[in-house]
Amino acid sequence: GVIVASNPSAGVFGVAPDCKVMPIKAMNEDGEIRDADLIQGVVWAVDHGASVVTLTAEGKSPSKAIEDMVKYAFNKRVPIVVGSGDSGANSESYPAANKGVISVSALDESSRVVSSSSTGSWVSVSAPGQNIMSTSSTKDSKLGSNYASVSGSAIAAAYAAGEMALIKSKYPTLDMVGLRNHLELTTDDLGTKGPDDNFGFGRINAAKALTTIPPKK
């Protein structure tokens, strides 16, 4: 819903409504996910034409296998955009803290970091992630079926992934470093000046990203 929905009358309009979503389930019925399943899901997406991968999973320890997965996607020019986590802690969460991953913290309506959003030096950017009207498979008592108010760093990651899809479409010659730089350097700086643990480089700004010409190498 955050990425591709297109129903302004219901208050729902995605960041990149002309894009397509490749939904892949990599967790079990209890909402748990193993490294092997996550890796299989991401690699399958990359091998079958995904331009951007977004997910939210929280692990306390780094994994060589996950690092290799990130490198595989990097070499295929597929950014991995991950929610920073929802433990509210300033401690490393994986794969968000893996080198090469674009990690996104969640903001509330006042552009403050949501208290449940994990933060740290690995946060790349921040995006809206609280009380966001979106599509839903469940029925909301106030909103009815098909729509719901959703929150979490996964929602923030979806916003950033949608913007990354727009950037890749607008500037198809950018390499992976250029794509990440363009996302980060077209943000609105919040908090302390420059990158910080809460907001990363700042709050994403799709309009700025699409109207700012990337520097030539």
Side-chain angles (χ1 to χ4, degrees), residues 10 133-148:
M133 178 74 82
S134 186
T135 52
S136 174
S137 59
T138 60
K139 187 173 183 178
D140 186 279
S141 59
K142 295 181 180 179
L143 303 174
S145 58
N146 302 321
Y147 302 99

Side-chain angles (χ1 to χ4, degrees), residues 80-197:
I80 297 180
V81 184
V82 179
S84 64
D86 298 295
S87 64
N90 188 273
S91 57
E92 291 183 346
S93 173
Y94 296 89
N98 277 107
K99 184 178 180 181
V101 166
I102 297 171
S103 175
V104 190
S105 61
L107 305 178
D108 65 15
E109 297 92 330
S110 300
S111 290
R112 298 171 299 198
V113 176
V114 177
S115 60
S116 60
S117 183
S118 300
T119 57
S121 59
W122 66 90
V123 172
S124 308
V125 295
S126 54
Q130 187 175 68
N131 299 328
I132 304 299
M133 178 74 82
S134 186
T135 52
S136 174
S137 59
T138 60
K139 187 173 183 178
D140 186 279
S141 59
K142 295 181 180 179
L143 303 174
S145 58
N146 302 321
Y147 302 99
S149 177
V150 294
S151 301
S153 64
I155 305 304
Y159 270 108
E163 182 175 324
M164 179 57 76
L166 294 176
I167 293 171
K168 288 193 73 174
S169 297
K170 182 72 179 288
Y171 308 109
T173 61
L174 286 177
D175 60 16
M176 287 289 283
V177 174
L179 289 168
R180 184 185 189 117
N181 286 345
H182 198 70
L183 178 75
E184 294 176 340
L185 298 179
T186 56
T187 56
D188 299 322
D189 192 10
L190 301 175
T192 58
K193 187 176 178 60
D196 59 65
D197 288 2

Side-chain angles (χ1 to χ4, degrees), residues 28-41:
N28 63 23
E29 61 273 12
D30 296 320
E32 299 171 336
I33 186 167
R34 300 182 306 167
D35 282 1
D37 295 329
L38 176 61
I39 292 165
Q40 183 180 7

Side-chain angles (χ1 to χ4, degrees), residues 63-78:
S63 160
K64 177 63 165 57
I66 294 293
E67 290 178 9
D68 290 343
M69 175 197 78
V70 174
K71 291 177 182 177
Y72 183 81
F74 186 95
N75 291 334
K76 296 286 187 176
R77 194 174 169 266
V78 179

